[in-house]
């Protein structure tokens, strides 16, 4: 799941990027308000972590601009402004959730997962398809109740496929969801990960739609 | 509870006291005037009457019985117009010997006195009433005429005049009172509306009060509006301070917590080392924040400088420069000390050298912190003041007025800071009677100057 982080404090921003990265998210981090504003439309982000006190453009203004432009990506606001008035103001401006600094990284991750799940209309966190199931919190996949050994990218691809049931995902979209800006990527990376997953989960788990992309196969 | 004096009650009491007083005085004046006029009129009539009687030739009647007329109403039916009873007037004519030649009314009771001339006021037979008499002798002294009138008649006329005046006053007083009270109530209605407006306000509402009030109330409304504006400003300042303080105090903690969690999460040594370095940086930032807070809390209660000594600026400047020299060298910066006047002439004042060093160190530290590498920082000392100049990015004009506020930092700082440095500088400066001024230099960079306020 690809997350946009807009946070001007270098230590917090770096921590979010590194920490959320370890927790299974693909993170792009921007420190300037205007950069963050423009970034949301440039990639298929699943959620945003937005600080309010930003240089160039205030977080509240960015949020309002996104909502005005019709962006419905879930936004988790992170801020030190904690008075009731300010929290209400943020929620009214279109924030989906609110966390006051200092916060626990695990809580940020949990809230992001909940926001994304809710957006996809899921109410349970575990994703199941046939004999394959995946726990986004534990970042563990099972085949017939047997835990699988998967790399972080393989897990990310599995999560993406499981949360996009019935949809065909283009190679470009998969690349964008799996890699943040500035991350190196081999031209055939997606094919490689699809191949690995098929080997571990069964050839029919991923279906190739020629000229379009990949989708989940029939549940087995 | 004792009732407060209201304008209405006060006015009512005032009117109830003054209006009768005015009536009393005006009545007294009117009575006096009326008495005077009535006297004049009746005296003239008496005089004329006496003259007419004298001019009538009565002849010598000799032994004729004294002619006495019956009462007027017996002479003519309905001929008695006016209030005057026949008993209230009198006429008498005597010869020089004092024999009564003619009398009418009570005239026969008038006493003869050949020496009497002109007006006399005498008491009547029963001593209860007074008579006004006019004695007029014939030029040859052969006859003496006396005409008279009861004084009561005159008093009655005056009394009527006073009564005529009393009625409108008595009727007018309550009407006047009601009218004035109504006018006062109407005039004070805007005050009641104003009170309702103020009472119905929420503490957050800061819109000015409407100024469509009478001229007497307008100054109060304007003053209230000015007060509301000042309160709104103070509240806004307070709100900003709280928000800035929350930001500056919570951000370092948030950074520490995040980096600590990251360190625990990182599977590889390189990642842990990276997080550890940032964690240490965060601890440094938090430490500096605590130090600045402590410095400010020590400065805040100071009313003055208990141990003020003549300041040796050479030592103060040298110490402050030395404190930031290492940081400046790390960033390859040029740090210059420029004496415009001899150290002995620079800003002659007494003060606390330790605090002044802290003040200069904060200014130099800001310059080193926020200027890019290889920047030029100059500390200039002159008799007129101390100036710290740099050729860094300056401060965005919209933040210039706020940077000295506690905990305020323009958003988007790469460098850690507490937002308290300039507050500390300003506090020390004001303790020494100096004023802090910040300005962007036209050629780029920031100029911070300290002058005698």
């Amino acid at each position: 799941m690809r997350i946009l982080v807009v946070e001007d404090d270098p230590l917090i921003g770096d921590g979010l990027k590194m920490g959320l990265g370890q927790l299974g998210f693909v993170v792009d981090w921007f420190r300037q308000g205007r950069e963050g504003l423009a970034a949301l439309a440039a990639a298929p982000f699943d959620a945003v972590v937005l600080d309010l006190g930003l240089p160039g453009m205030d977080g509240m203004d960015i949020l309002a601009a996104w909502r005005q432009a019709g962006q419905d990506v879930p936004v988790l606001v992170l801020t030190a402004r904690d008075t009731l008035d300010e929290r209400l103001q943020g929620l009214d401006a279109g924030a989906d959730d609110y966390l006051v600094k200092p916060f626990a990284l695990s809580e940020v991750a949990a809230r992001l997962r909940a926001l994304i799940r809710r957006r996809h209309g899921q109410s349970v966190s575990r994703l199941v398809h046939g004999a394959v199931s995946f726990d986004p919190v534990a970042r563990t996949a099972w085949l017939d109740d047997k835990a699988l050994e998967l790399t972080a990218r393989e897990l990310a691809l599995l999560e993406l496929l499981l949360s996009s049931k019935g949809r065909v995902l283009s190679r470009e979209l998969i690349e964008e969801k799996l890699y943040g800006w500035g991350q190196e990527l081999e031209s055939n990376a997606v094919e490689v990960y699809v191949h690995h997953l098929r080997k571990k989960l069964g050839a029919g788990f991923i279906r190739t739609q020629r000229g379009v992309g990949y989708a989940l196969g029939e549940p087995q | 509870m004792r009732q407060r004096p209201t304008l209405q009650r006060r006015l009512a009491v005032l009117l109830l006291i003054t209006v009768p007083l005015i009536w009393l005085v005006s009545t007294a004046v009117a009575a006096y005037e009326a008495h005077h006029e009535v006297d004049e009129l009746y005296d003239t009539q008496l005089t004329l009457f006496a003259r007419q009687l004298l001019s009538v030739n009565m002849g010598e009647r000799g032994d004729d019985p004294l002619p006495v007329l019956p009462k007027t109403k017996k002479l003519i039916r309905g001929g008695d117009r006016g209030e005057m009873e026949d008993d209230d007037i009198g006429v008498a004519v005597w010869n020089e010997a004092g024999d009564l030649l003619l009398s009418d009314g009570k005239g026969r009771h008038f006493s003869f006195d050949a020496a009497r001339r002109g007006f006399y006021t005498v008491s009547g037979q029963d001593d209860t009433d007074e008579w006004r008499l006019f004695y007029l002798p014939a030029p040859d002294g052969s006859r003496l005429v006396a005409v008279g009138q009861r004084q009561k008649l005159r008093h009655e006329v005056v009394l009527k005049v006073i009564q005529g005046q009393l009625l409108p006053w008595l009727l007018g007083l309550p009407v006047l009172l009601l009218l004035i009270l109504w006018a006062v109530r109407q005039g004070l209605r805007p005050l009641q509306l104003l009170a309702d407006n103020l009472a119905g306000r929420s503490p957050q509402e800061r819109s000015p009060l409407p100024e469509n009030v009478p001229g007497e109330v307008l100054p109060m409304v304007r003053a209230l509006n000015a007060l509301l504006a000042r309160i709104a400003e103070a509240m806004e300042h307070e709100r900003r301070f709280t928000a800035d303080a929350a930001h500056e105090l919570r951000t370092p903690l948030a950074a520490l917590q995040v980096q600590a969690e990251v360190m625990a999460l990182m599977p590889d040594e390189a990642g842990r080392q990276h997080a550890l370095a940032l964690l240490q940086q965060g601890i440094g930032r938090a430490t500096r924040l605590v130090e600045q807070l402590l410095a400010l809390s020590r400065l805040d209660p100071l009313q003055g400088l208990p141990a003020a000594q003549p300041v040796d600026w050479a030592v103060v400047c040298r110490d402050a420069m030395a404190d930031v020299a290492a940081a400046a060298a790390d960033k390859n910066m040029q740090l210059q000390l420029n004496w415009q006047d001899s150290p002995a002439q620079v800003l002659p004042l007494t003060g606390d050298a330790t605090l002044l060093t802290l003040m200069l160190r904060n200014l130099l530290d800001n310059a080193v912190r926020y200027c890019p590498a290889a920047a030029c920082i100059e500390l200039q000392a002159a008799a007129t003041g101390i100036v710290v100049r740099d050729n860094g990015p300056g401060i965005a004009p919209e933040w210039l007025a706020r940077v000295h506020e506690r905990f305020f930092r323009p958003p988007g700082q790469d460098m850690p800071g507490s937002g308290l440095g300039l507050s500390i500088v300003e506090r020390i400066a004001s303790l020494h009677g100096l004023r802090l001024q910040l300005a962007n230099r036209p050629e780029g960079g920031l100029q911070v100057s300290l002058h005698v306020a």
Side-chain angles (χ1 to χ4, degrees), chain A residues 8-12 14-16 18-19 22-23 31 53-55 80 82 86 100-106, chain B residues 239 243 246-247 250-251 253-255 257-259 261-262 265-267 274 278 281-282 285 411-414:
Chain A
D8 72 321
D9 187 81
L11 299 188
I12 297 175
D14 179 273
L16 284 171
M18 292 302 193
Q22 282 304 310
L23 293 170
R31 297 188 57 196
L54 292 167
D82 67 333
E86 282 160 338
V100 174
K101 294 175 183 176
F103 50 83
L105 200 52
S106 45
Chain B
R239 193 197 62 73
H247 187 263
R250 288 198 164 119
T251 299
L253 290 180
Q257 174 154 9
V258 168
Q259 289 298 338
E261 279 187 79
V262 170
L265 278 172
M266 280 299 176
H274 174 79
L278 291 183
Q281 199 179 315
R285 173 163 79 174
Q413 301 296 326
D414 280 327

Side-chain angles (χ1 to χ4, degrees), chain A residues 72-127:
Chain A
D72 63 345
V73 180
V75 173
L76 169 63
V77 164
L78 279 188
T79 181
R81 306 177 193 171
D82 67 333
T83 65
L84 181 64
D85 266 0
E86 282 160 338
R87 274 181 287 162
L88 292 179
Q89 210 184 332
L91 292 172
D92 284 343
D96 296 271
D97 207 347
Y98 210 99
L99 261 182
V100 174
K101 294 175 183 176
F103 50 83
L105 200 52
S106 45
E107 188 176 2
V108 176
R111 286 185 186 231
L112 283 175
R113 278 194 294 270
L115 287 176
I116 294 166
R117 210 165 59 226
R118 212 176 305 148
R119 192 177 176 220
H120 291 305
Q122 303 163 351
S123 54
V124 289
S125 64
R126 189 182 277 232
L127 300 166

Side-chain angles (χ1 to χ4, degrees), chain A residues 177-195:
Chain A
K177 289 278 190 190
L178 261 51
Y179 291 87
W181 283 305
Q183 286 182 322
E184 276 180 45
L185 146 91
E186 304 278 325
S187 62
N188 64 344
V190 172
E191 282 89 339
V192 171
Y193 292 128
V194 167
H195 176 72

Side-chain angles (χ1 to χ4, degrees), chain A residues 128-134 142-146 148 201 205 219-220:
Chain A
V128 182
H129 184 72
V132 179
S133 59
F134 172 70
W142 291 272
L143 177 64
D144 293 327
D145 295 330
K146 208 171 79 207
L148 293 166
L201 299 173
F205 185 74
Q220 292 147 4

Side-chain angles (χ1 to χ4, degrees), chain A residues 20-91:
Chain A
L20 290 178
Q22 282 304 310
L23 293 170
F25 296 90
V26 177
V27 180
D28 288 293
W29 169 33
F30 291 95
R31 297 188 57 196
Q32 294 284 326
R34 289 186 190 286
E35 287 173 14
L37 175 76
L40 186 63
F45 288 106
D46 295 289
V48 179
V49 177
L50 179 66
D51 180 35
L52 288 187
L54 292 167
M57 188 172 184
D58 189 76
M60 212 70 97
D61 298 334
I62 295 176
L63 186 54
W66 282 339
R67 293 306 185 220
Q68 196 145 25
Q71 285 278 12
D72 63 345
V73 180
V75 173
L76 169 63
V77 164
L78 279 188
T79 181
R81 306 177 193 171
D82 67 333
T83 65
L84 181 64
D85 266 0
E86 282 160 338
R87 274 181 287 162
L88 292 179
Q89 210 184 332
L91 292 172

